[in-house]
Amino acid sequence: EIVLTQSPGSLSLSPGERATLSCRASQSVSQTYFAWLQQKPGQAPRLLIYGTSYRATGIPDRFSGSGSGTDFTLTISRLEPEDFAVYYCQQYSSSPRTFGQGTTVESK
Amino acid sequence: QVQLVQSGAEVKNPGASVTVSCKASGYTFSDYGLHWVRQAPGQRLEWMALIKPGDGNTVYSQKFQDRVTITRDTSASTVHMELSRLTPEDTAVYYCARHGPVSMNDYWGQGTLVTVSS
């Protein structure tokens, strides 16, 4: 199965700052089948980005995704208070679909 | 609007079975698959299985295929996930998630905590 490794494990930033999160796959993943999800404490994951760079319904444009092959990036251009959360990458290019271990974005 | 509403928390003894339900609304139930994903404490999300409500076909993770059974009730727009031979390592929050138009998991249930303890 494809193993996804996220870095860094955590980010300490202030509102208004830019956040850059990385996800590396153990083998190549089709751009069509790569996503980012956000999870807040006590809540279910929420889809942010699918197909590497397409924002899900209702997701603000400060969230953007890029990447190809084995390296993918989620960028939050200007952090808002509600963006402090755990972010997971996910591949569904091959079965089983797998998830990264998560990056925590916390308020400095 | 699309909603996935799951059944409530469960506490089970080791060796028992548990069934978690996921009721879908806001879309045509038979048109989209439903996945089951779990999250154990401090662990990453883990995919378990997929059911296609239209024809009932299922796909299971190798890790769980001898212990998990997914069924659907089309009249109730509900999918059921049964996990048998529970151990404390099965303590987790179990989520259902829709298989979206381009295969992504676009909507998620609220999660069901299953605790396995003697």
Side-chain angles (χ1 to χ4, degrees), chain B:
Chain B
Q1 73 284 20
V2 174
Q3 279 195 302
L4 300 174
V5 178
Q6 298 182 221
S7 51
E10 302 267 9
V11 179
K12 295 291 182 180
N13 290 323
S17 297
V18 68
T19 298
V20 180
S21 301
C22 172
K23 182 173 177 60
S25 62
Y27 69 97
T28 302
F29 179 67
S30 58
D31 284 353
Y32 296 90
L34 278 167
H35 296 258
W36 287 91
V37 176
R38 78 176 188 180
Q39 188 171 36
Q43 303 296 312
R44 69 181 68 195
L45 295 154
E46 183 175 33
W47 179 80
M48 299 177 67
L50 163 68
I51 187 166
K52 301 175 185 179
D55 57 16
N57 282 346
T58 53
V59 181
Y60 296 122
S61 165
Q62 274 196 316
K63 177 175 178 178
F64 299 102
Q65 64 182 12
D66 61 342
R67 294 200 295 138
V68 70
T69 304
I70 312 294
T71 57
R72 95 286 196 210
D73 177 352
T74 53
S75 66
S77 298
T78 299
V79 169
H80 307 281
M81 186 279 297
E82 181 185 24
L83 187 63
S84 63
R85 304 196 303 277
L86 292 168
T87 73
E89 288 67 43
D90 292 315
T91 294
V93 178
Y94 290 78
Y95 295 101
C96 59
R98 197 178 77 157
H99 185 100
V102 201
S103 299
M104 69 292 206
N105 291 123
D106 56 353
Y107 293 94
W108 292 66
Q110 83 277 19
T112 297
L113 175 61
V114 174
T115 303
V116 183
S117 174
S118 54

Side-chain angles (χ1 to χ4, degrees), chain A residues 56-106:
Chain A
T57 303
I59 302 304
D61 62 6
R62 63 180 180 273
F63 291 92
S64 63
S66 63
S68 64
T70 60
D71 291 296
F72 296 83
T73 300
L74 174 70
T75 302
I76 311 171
S77 59
R78 296 172 308 280
L79 282 163
E80 296 287 341
E82 62 267 28
D83 299 337
F84 294 101
V86 180
Y87 292 84
Y88 295 96
C89 56
Q90 180 197 23
Q91 69 80 25
Y92 41 104
S93 181
S94 71
S95 185
R97 52 185 62 198
T98 53
F99 300 83
Q101 83 279 21
T103 291
T104 301
V105 178
E106 56 189 20

Side-chain angles (χ1 to χ4, degrees), chain A residues 29-52:
Chain A
V29 171
S30 168
Q31 286 180 297
T32 302
Y33 303 116
F34 188 89
W36 291 93
L37 303 102
Q38 177 193 67
Q39 188 176 35
K40 297 179 180 178
Q43 296 185 16
R46 177 174 75 143
L47 179 68
L48 292 178
I49 300 284
Y50 65 94
T52 296

